[in-house]
Amino acid sequence: MALPPQLKAIQHYLRTAQEHEKRDPVVAYYCRLYAMQTGMKLDSKTPECRKFLVKLMDQLETMKKDLGENDSISQEVVGNAHIENYALKMFLYADNEDRSGRFHKNMIKSFYSSSLLLDVLSVFGELSEENIQHRKYARWKATYIHNCLKNGETPQAGPIGMDEDEEAGEFGAEGFSGQGASFRGGGSFRDQDHSLDPGPAPGIGFAPGPGSGPSGPPTTNYNNIHIPPGAHAPANTPAELPPPAAEADKPVPAPRSVPAVDPALLHATQQGGVHLSPEDFTLAQKYCKYAGSALQYEDVGTAVQNLQKALKLLTTGKE
């Protein structure tokens, strides 16, 4: 079924879902969930839009049943970690290519896809400030490099300042950042999402997110942005293109360093008088889930950091 013009803003999320259908069904599922929530806010009354959204709901119901045994679908904290890790791995892959001066369509797409997946993270709640910054930078970089290559210019490698008069172009202009309600737990989509009946609630719309829309990309200067160099993309992100022969002798980026383990945590025991709240246990579980998800991508640094956070919280009651 063709996408109604009124829902054009969700086309990139649906395309990303389709591309990941076999590669990573969890990514496909959450891309479609985000697209459905966004579509409802855009237009849930027009017959053609309503029909399209109902079909998308049915597709999500089927996917949810098929993936029901997957922790990333049944447990929000695991799903959140899965999408965040995937998005940041794509970001780091593109960033490494950019810093190495290897500009090609694959890295442009990785930058832009990572920004879309960071949008998708909003189905779990508000984005962290760090992810907001990564989203802005990735979307702007995709546009900048795309325009340079299209105009026969050589892009400037690595983080650079963004001019106020830069335009968002082909990529940034169509990105949306949803702040609507997220889908929770069991039940069906028809039971929990009522926007198809009365239409979007007043004042709860989807506005173009940072780095998108006709106002152009953000004007933040990214010369000092902290992006760990040397990380590698997971096996199911776009394959790295071989560098041209002339670049074969370029030094390979150093591997990502593993953070030092706090010696005080090596033989940690709970301190006397520490009383953990239910929220503390939930947060500790979250850190452990993030660590487990990071290990799926052989990201030792992230795993160590999250495990240390969990240990410190459980033994001291403090973050």
Side-chain angles (χ1 to χ4, degrees):
M1 181 178 177
L3 181 70
Q6 301 94 315
L7 303 180
K8 182 181 178 183
I10 67 174
Q11 67 178 347
H12 290 300
Y13 304 98
L14 294 175
R15 186 176 301 150
T16 301
Q18 189 174 10
E19 290 170 352
H20 287 79
E21 198 81 62
K22 304 291 184 185
R23 197 190 314 173
D24 193 322
V26 171
V27 170
Y29 173 84
Y30 283 112
C31 283
R32 290 194 175 109
L33 177 57
Y34 177 85
M36 182 191 73
Q37 292 179 349
T38 307
M40 286 180 170
K41 304 300 184 294
L42 292 171
D43 189 338
S44 62
K45 293 184 177 180
T46 306
E48 59 179 331
C49 293
R50 182 185 179 90
K51 186 177 180 181
F52 183 90
L53 292 171
V54 167
K55 184 176 179 182
L56 186 55
M57 279 185 185
D58 291 339
Q59 189 175 17
L60 280 163
E61 289 280 15
T62 300
M63 290 187 74
K64 191 178 181 188
K65 289 175 184 175
D66 293 343
L67 300 170
E69 299 300 315
N70 191 313
D71 286 347
S72 293
I73 302 299
S74 61
Q75 299 181 44
E76 279 194 7
V77 68
V78 184
N80 190 349
H82 185 102
I83 300 300
E84 183 175 40
N85 273 302
Y86 193 95
L88 294 180
K89 288 295 183 180
M90 293 190 83
F91 178 95
L92 288 168
Y93 160 77
D95 184 60
N96 286 335
E97 292 294 277
D98 176 32
R99 288 168 185 258
S100 301
R102 293 191 291 266
F103 306 108
H104 48 81
K105 290 181 179 178
N106 211 16
M107 62 92 74
I108 294 173
K109 185 173 182 180
S110 290
F111 260 137
Y112 188 60
S113 295
S114 72
S115 77
L116 296 180
L117 291 177
L118 290 170
D119 281 338
V120 170
L121 271 182
S122 65
V123 303
F124 302 104
E126 267 188 60
L127 296 185
S128 67
E129 184 59 34
E130 183 180 17
N131 282 338
I132 289 173
Q133 294 302 317
H134 279 96
R135 180 181 63 183
K136 289 180 183 179
Y137 182 78
R139 191 161 291 167
W140 179 82
K141 259 292 184 176
T143 305
Y144 166 72
I145 297 172
H146 169 79
N147 288 339
C148 283
L149 297 184
K150 185 174 68 173
N151 296 328
E153 301 169 0
T154 300
Q156 184 175 336
I160 56 176
M162 292 188 284
D163 299 328
E164 291 187 15
D165 58 352
E166 291 280 358
E167 290 297 327
E170 175 183 334
F171 293 97
E174 294 176 345
F176 271 69
S177 170
Q179 303 298 328
S182 64
F183 177 79
R184 307 288 183 189
S188 71
F189 290 93
R190 296 174 191 275
D191 293 337
Q192 298 202 28
D193 290 291
H194 303 292
S195 301
L196 284 178
D197 298 322
I204 308 180
F206 274 67
S212 64
S215 62
T219 56
T220 310
N221 186 305
Y222 284 91
N223 287 319
N224 297 319
I225 190 170
H226 176 68
I227 304 166
H232 298 285
N236 51 7
T237 57
E240 180 177 344
L241 297 183
E247 296 183 357
D249 295 329
K250 283 192 175 182
V252 178
R256 191 176 183 178
S257 59
V258 177
V261 177
D262 183 352
L265 296 175
L266 291 177
H267 304 287
T269 56
Q270 190 175 33
Q271 298 176 4
V274 173
H275 298 287
L276 299 176
S277 67
E279 290 76 17
D280 290 331
F281 284 108
T282 299
L283 184 57
Q285 182 186 43
K286 178 180 178 181
Y287 287 139
C288 292
K289 295 291 186 183
Y290 277 131
S293 182
L295 288 175
Q296 291 179 1
Y297 296 115
E298 300 179 3
D299 187 349
V300 178
T302 300
V304 170
Q305 288 174 345
N306 282 285
L307 289 173
Q308 289 193 100
K309 288 179 181 178
L311 272 174
K312 183 178 179 181
L313 177 60
L314 291 173
T315 55
T316 68
K318 300 176 183 178
E319 291 187 56

